[in-house]
Amino acid sequence: MTDGTGTVRDAGDVDRRRGRTPRSLLGVNRISVIAAAVLFPLALSAAGLVDAAVATDAARAPRAVVEVGRFVTEFGTSGYMFTTSALLAAVALVALGRDRHFWNGARPRLVVERCAFFFATIAASGIAAQAVKHLLGRARPVLSSGADPFTFHPLSLGNSIASFPSGHTTSAFAAAVALGLVSPRLRPWLLGGAALVGISRVVVGAHYPSDVVGGAALGSLAAVAVTRICARRGLAFTLDAGRAVPKRSDCAAPVSPIGRDRNIES
């Protein structure tokens, strides 16, 4: 479907014109969702089986490797994510009302919505991670040189016993999934970067592999949940046949090859 300017109104229409069945929630088909639900417990269990061995090896890693891990792990810090999204939103608010287009042709209002969506995603994932961390109270590898991954002190507030899930990994995957939903072409690179952050957390001795798997799952789930909430309110996303679709600007946008085949009203 198109509006008076010939702009594609939703991605579901594109799927239908290509002869594809519209995918389910957030553009991920139900088979993928079911597969993820089955594979996550298996991955967590598998990681748990190698926790002690991997953490012990990480404690003996060469200093150069650890230094690289420390550099990479900083990319999972949520502080700079909050700051970046807040600054972008501020710039967009200043430009709001002016006829300036940026960020893939989006108007400032859409940029504000996207920044708010990203900010909310990181905040939600961070709060969830902290809640689980202190609820379970899993001891970090450093307390036992990685030899005892099954030490728990539930309802503890100490940072040294807040290993599961990895907070850096949670933030990294929340950011990767959130940005990947807005820009699908970047999704593989974003998820790859998030995975490197997770690996770095094991290398520096801050977490066990299962902490990383748990953080990846929690961050991804938080991004999906916030996306759904935003879509229901028309913020940054819209709902199309029950799935969330990134909202596009109502300004003139490049016409896709599919759009050239349509009879556009003028």
Side-chain angles (χ1 to χ4, degrees), residues 184-204:
R185 291 182 180 180
L186 297 178
R187 190 177 299 161
W189 298 98
L190 293 167
L191 292 176
L196 288 177
V197 170
I199 293 172
S200 75
R201 298 305 288 161
V202 176
V203 171
V204 300

Side-chain angles (χ1 to χ4, degrees), residues 4-29:
T5 65
T7 303
V8 179
R9 292 182 61 184
D10 59 72
D13 187 49
V14 174
D15 281 345
R16 286 187 288 272
R17 285 194 175 257
R18 286 178 176 171
R20 297 199 302 246
T21 301
R23 292 172 292 179
S24 62
L25 177 63
L26 306 178
V28 180
N29 59 53

Side-chain angles (χ1 to χ4, degrees), residues 91-114:
V91 171
L93 283 171
V94 172
L96 192 60
R98 301 179 183 178
D99 193 19
R100 297 178 182 178
H101 303 168
F102 51 98
W103 197 350
N104 294 330
R107 289 187 184 278
R109 186 180 301 278
L110 181 54
V111 175
V112 173
E113 291 184 6
R114 287 176 173 175

Side-chain angles (χ1 to χ4, degrees), residues 61-86:
R63 183 177 181 83
V65 174
V66 175
E67 289 302 320
V68 172
R70 287 176 179 169
F71 172 77
V72 174
T73 204
E74 291 301 318
F75 289 95
T77 305
S78 59
Y80 83 89
M81 300 182 193
F82 284 128
T83 302
T84 302
S85 58

Side-chain angles (χ1 to χ4, degrees), residues 135-210:
L135 178 65
L136 296 180
R138 187 185 197 185
R140 292 183 185 272
V142 68
L143 292 185
S144 61
S145 298
D148 186 10
F150 301 106
T151 299
F152 291 88
H153 299 278
L155 302 179
S156 173
L157 298 179
N159 183 60
S160 61
I161 44 180
S163 188
F164 185 92
S166 165
H168 283 66
T169 307
T170 300
S171 296
F173 271 88
V177 172
L179 294 175
L181 288 169
V182 175
S183 300
R185 291 182 180 180
L186 297 178
R187 190 177 299 161
W189 298 98
L190 293 167
L191 292 176
L196 288 177
V197 170
I199 293 172
S200 75
R201 298 305 288 161
V202 176
V203 171
V204 300
H207 290 285
Y208 293 102
S210 57

